[in-house]
Amino acid sequence: MTIADRGTRHATRASLVDEFRAVVARTGILNIVDVAFGGRALDDGVGLPGGVLTFQALGDDCAEWMIVAGSSDVDPWIHVDSAPEWVQGAFDVTARPALVAWGQPGRWETSEGRIELEEAGHVAIADLERPWLTDGIADDIAPVLSNEGTREHFREMLPRWEPDVLAIADMDSLSSAAWNALTQPEPTLNRVRSAASLHALHSHVHLLKPEDRGISAALDLVGRLWNEYVPGKPRPLDAVFGPYDIAPRRANIEEKLHNANRQLVWGWAIAAMAEAASGTPTEQRRFIFDSHGLLARENGSWARLVGFDSQRLAITGHDDKSAQTDSANTCETRRYAKPSWAPDLAGSFGGQEAWTVRGFWRGEQTTGPLETMPGMSVLSNIRPSRAPNLPAALADVPDPVNHGAQVEVLGMMQGMQDYSWNGSVLATCPFYGTTPLSYRF
């Protein structure tokens, strides 16, 4: 578009309104997802995180809009030097956008200062039919220019504080359900139903329950988006194939994780029994099962684990390496609260601690898989037991070489049985019925 083209309209007013409504709706969807996980909600519009694009509705009936998009080094005031008072009052003077436009779909205006910059060739000529398609801006806001782009960007909007939780989500199904749940009348007009979907969405990303404040703010934005910003029928975004509600994370996923942890414990204990049965002196063993739980060591690296039941395991470990590659820390760092049942293993043995939460491994600032967490490299030497039950697992222990080894191995087997069947702490000499807080390490 050239300066001379400013007075020409190449599309019908109705089509421009439809395009505008669709872009606002897509922006609103991504804004809702961001707000549900602690992002910022505007009081009078919708926007993408970081302020790269905002649509602000001005007036009681949302008849007038202000678009703020992109980023530049241009003096912010130039964008609104000749704007109406209602635009200047709503504009954030601390922002440094590439474009500010105001008006109605198909009838947008920009400031006299910006027009002068356009004529001098210092900034791109604003597209006054579709300001969001102005050169230099469209690339930054690509996720809201098509339904496919918005659905794809939805994946990027989900926090990665716990990548092991997100990794097991069926993203194709989840993005389809989320699209329908946030765009279609049936779910969005029912606040209870929308709340259930947002809570379920949270379950695919985090283990702990979300803060009510974030969910409530997201629900408020759902209401404003469809009742105030883009009201009426038909809605600008069609449904996709799939459910209209987001289902919570499947419970059997946690069951599989508990089984995997059990296989680790059994494999570790069997390895310790095998070394004891072979008559290997204690000081030379790589795997040990004693009154404190399980120990694995190699050179200067070690890890010690204690279990209270299949869902409550705690571990501490140390890597004797000058440099560590921590693939578990390639996500956003968040402190994860230590559960009340977890003992102070680091205080007793040193090392870096981790514990299970619904089958997933967590540390103070790290997430699993366990073998990738700091201090746990020695666990790569343990072969998990695939035995269907404990007797089958214990059958893998070789016959002890002498009476002394037999006594020791039988003590370990008794400890495993008491732990697995009697609710005792994992140890060779457990105190039956002992609680985590009173167990003597």
Side-chain angles (χ1 to χ4, degrees), residues 93-424:
V93 296
T94 65
R96 303 191 71 88
L99 173 72
V100 178
W102 59 88
Q104 300 175 351
R107 300 173 182 172
W108 300 102
E109 298 180 52
T110 57
S111 69
E112 294 177 0
R114 178 183 175 93
I115 294 174
E116 293 177 2
L117 291 178
E118 291 176 355
E119 292 174 339
H122 296 312
V123 297
I125 297 174
D127 185 331
L128 295 185
E129 287 189 341
R130 305 170 182 83
W132 52 90
L133 294 184
T134 298
D135 288 348
I137 294 174
D139 290 344
D140 293 334
I141 65 170
V144 301
L145 298 181
S146 69
N147 294 352
E148 295 75 14
T150 301
R151 289 182 58 200
E152 183 64 30
H153 193 66
F154 163 79
R155 305 168 186 244
E156 304 302 319
M157 296 287 293
L158 298 180
R160 281 156 173 73
W161 309 328
E162 299 177 77
D164 48 348
V165 181
L166 186 59
I168 60 178
D170 181 347
M171 291 306 302
D172 290 336
S173 298
L174 182 59
S175 61
S176 296
W179 174 272
N180 290 337
L182 296 175
T183 63
Q184 298 310 298
E186 295 92 334
T188 56
L189 294 178
N190 186 322
R191 189 178 176 93
V192 174
R193 189 170 169 181
S194 292
S197 279
L198 290 176
H199 279 276
L201 175 61
H202 198 282
S203 75
H204 289 276
V205 181
H206 296 315
L207 294 180
L208 302 185
K209 293 182 178 180
E211 293 185 7
D212 291 337
R213 179 175 56 183
I215 297 296
S216 178
L219 291 171
D220 291 342
L221 184 53
V222 170
R224 292 199 303 274
L225 176 64
W226 298 115
N227 296 325
E228 299 177 25
Y229 304 150
V230 285
K233 297 178 180 179
R235 287 196 173 179
L237 305 177
D238 294 328
V240 297
F241 177 77
Y244 277 30
D245 300 274
I246 303 173
R249 186 178 68 245
R250 299 190 308 274
N252 67 332
I253 289 177
E254 294 177 10
E255 181 181 348
K256 291 179 180 178
L257 293 170
H258 292 315
N259 287 337
N261 291 333
R262 173 184 54 78
Q263 291 172 354
L264 171 68
V265 170
W266 284 6
W268 195 338
I270 297 305
M273 295 179 199
E275 287 199 343
S278 67
T280 304
T282 303
E283 63 275 9
Q284 297 178 17
R285 297 178 191 173
R286 293 190 305 160
F287 307 107
I288 294 175
F289 183 18
D290 58 20
S291 60
H292 296 303
L294 295 170
L295 173 66
R297 59 189 181 184
E298 184 176 47
N299 299 323
S301 300
W302 56 267
R304 180 172 281 281
L305 178 144
V306 62
F308 302 104
D309 54 48
S310 63
Q311 300 187 22
R312 295 183 299 170
L313 303 176
I315 194 171
T316 185
H318 168 75
D319 288 332
D320 187 22
K321 298 179 180 179
S322 57
Q324 298 180 26
T325 300
D326 181 16
S327 60
N329 266 340
T330 57
C331 58
E332 304 171 51
T333 300
R334 295 292 177 103
R335 292 191 67 85
Y336 207 90
K338 185 176 181 178
S340 59
W341 60 262
D344 183 15
L345 292 181
S348 298
F349 304 107
Q352 301 188 63
E353 287 183 304
W355 48 84
T356 54
V357 181
R358 298 183 184 173
F360 292 87
W361 285 95
R362 294 290 176 268
E364 288 188 349
Q365 290 184 305
T366 56
T367 61
L370 181 59
E371 62 272 13
T372 69
M373 299 179 74
M376 306 301 170
S377 65
V378 72
L379 299 182
S380 62
N381 296 326
I382 298 173
R383 185 177 67 179
S385 171
R386 308 296 181 185
N389 51 56
L390 183 58
L394 296 178
D396 291 335
V397 179
D399 292 333
V401 297
N402 55 48
H403 178 72
Q406 183 181 33
V407 172
E408 185 178 11
V409 170
L410 287 176
M412 295 181 186
M413 289 184 173
Q414 183 64 51
M416 281 298 296
Q417 291 171 349
D418 287 343
Y419 165 71
S420 301
W421 296 334
N422 298 330
S424 295

